[in-house]
Amino acid sequence: MGLSIAEVARDHRDYITDTLQFHEQQLHPSSTEDEELVRRAVFSVRNKAIIFERYIPFSETLYSVVQDVRPAEVTIDFRRQQISCSCPQKTSCRHQLGVILALSQYFISVQDWAGQWRAKKTVKLESLASARSPENWQRMVDEVLLHALDNKRQIEPILIPSIFENVRQKLRRHRPFEREWQPLFDLFIEVAMLKRLWEYLIRMNSPMQSDYFLYYLDKVFGLIDHAVSDVQAARRLFATEPFFDAIQHQIRALVLIENGAPHRRLALYLSLWENLFTDKKQIQKELQLLESLPSGTSDIDLMALRSAFYILQSDDDQLQQTVQAINPANLETFITIAHFALKKEQQQGAELILKAALPYLTEYIHQHLTPMRRQQFTRLLDLLYSQIHLHEQEELTLFSAYGKYGVQAFSNYLLAQQRYPDWVALHQLYPSSISYLDSCGLKDVVSNAPGVTLPLYHYYAMNEIQQKSRINYKQAVRIWRAMKSASKKADKLEFFESYMQEIQHQHKRLRALQEEIDNSNLIV
């Protein structure tokens, strides 16, 4: 049977059109490399360099060869909607585009498509890169993003990482050769891309809480942190100052943007002010600008934001007034500022914030935070509060606020205070498992006050018995062995033997349990 390519193309028109649109978005007409790729793909169609060898209807697979310097085999699996090429290029190549164009010519004009694609070209990216200025670098970012983002429909969150990785690769082709400029270029384009993405998502009313978007944010923040470290290590030139000013302006605009992931934006803003912008005049100027803004400018509390600069200026009087405005709504923002203060070794400023936040922790943790975030947040709090001095009542207020999410932290505190009966009472209040008790310091309690642990062992052994299976009976015997060891250390071995006899009497009908106890030699 003859191979009718026209028929194949018409049958799979939707996939061919979608793939062509994907290539159209991935390739930028202002990029010399992309322009060359499209030119050679169109050339292969015009010169009939694409040979469709065979089509297998059962699997809906089309095999083709592109006659190039070295022949390349392109395979399209229409059923799985996958296209692959035998050439070494990992991403989209001219061979794949050539095959798609050869198929699409049965329902569109390849010449018209190429002309429309080239018409989107405004200015060569190379010319912008060579005329080095913040405005040109920003225009490079805008030029590539304008082509990559569709302003007519929302971008799917799952596509954000791949789209922006493609944009990043195009921009990095124009990275300066000078070592002093490279990390600054990386930092500039990451911040500029992030700001433009945020503006796009707000404009398109796109959701900002998806896991894919948050994953992308974490990845970008890691790239920015790495670039900041490289910038710090590089020699700072006088010619780079306008670029630093532009980054400062962008990062301010990002933190003051209307909405979306406020704590991540704040962390990024503070990170740059912690490591990059350290000049006293810059700090004073930024504070004056923040003080001139009306409340409600951003979803980040401006009063909390200003407190970061009071900390940088060591202005404890002004900070003392500011922390009086702490409430459950802005508490996490102030906690982030306290973390920032500790990184800057501003112990007194951090202490002012953390102590002022104490009365609101219970409400915030248990009513404002989602259950998934409570454990992580209490760990952060424990890290921060461990670095300041608290009175006994303040410590009790803190651990009370944690509730069950801070059991391990409270356990460590009680062990440090050698309050072993209180440690046992805490774990009776928030029961868990023997393995969790071990992670909370059970061995230390057994070593120092073995007698107080006996009620805990009894509780967990009874839990195992209630499951009424041999596996659980074996686990109960293991717990009783540990209980026997603790009884021996506490000189209460006679009590333990009486206890085990009573257990046997109470559960005499549980034959499997009786067998496990007899085989364990718990009772001599």
Side-chain angles (χ1 to χ4, degrees), residues 49-87:
I50 298 170
I51 302 171
F52 295 105
E53 291 193 323
R54 65 188 186 280
Y55 176 71
I56 303 177
F58 177 75
S59 61
E60 297 183 55
T61 306
L62 177 65
Y63 297 92
S64 55
V65 174
V66 181
Q67 298 295 337
D68 204 344
V69 178
R70 289 184 179 178
E73 298 177 0
V74 177
T75 304
I76 303 179
D77 186 335
F78 289 110
R79 183 173 294 174
R80 296 182 181 178
Q81 297 196 336
Q82 294 176 347
I83 182 169
S84 61
C85 181
S86 62
C87 77

Side-chain angles (χ1 to χ4, degrees), residues 323-342:
V323 297
Q324 295 175 11
I326 292 180
N327 59 65
N330 62 19
L331 184 138
E332 190 165 356
T333 303
F334 272 100
I335 294 296
T336 305
I337 302 296
H339 196 184
F340 169 74
L342 289 170

Side-chain angles (χ1 to χ4, degrees), residues 289-303:
L289 191 147
L290 292 175
E291 289 178 333
S292 68
L293 295 174
S295 59
T297 302
S298 169
D299 58 349
I300 295 175
D301 191 288
L302 285 180
M303 192 166 291

Side-chain angles (χ1 to χ4, degrees), residues 152-171:
K152 295 180 181 179
R153 60 180 179 178
Q154 288 185 354
I155 183 174
E156 291 293 331
I158 193 173
L159 297 177
I160 290 176
S162 61
I163 289 175
F164 276 80
E165 180 58 33
N166 182 267
V167 171
R168 183 179 294 110
Q169 289 177 4
K170 292 187 186 305
L171 291 170

Side-chain angles (χ1 to χ4, degrees), residues 242-257:
F243 294 88
F244 283 100
D245 292 340
I247 293 171
Q248 184 179 332
H249 176 78
Q250 288 174 338
I251 207 70
R252 182 195 307 125
L254 189 58
V255 81
L256 296 176
I257 213 160

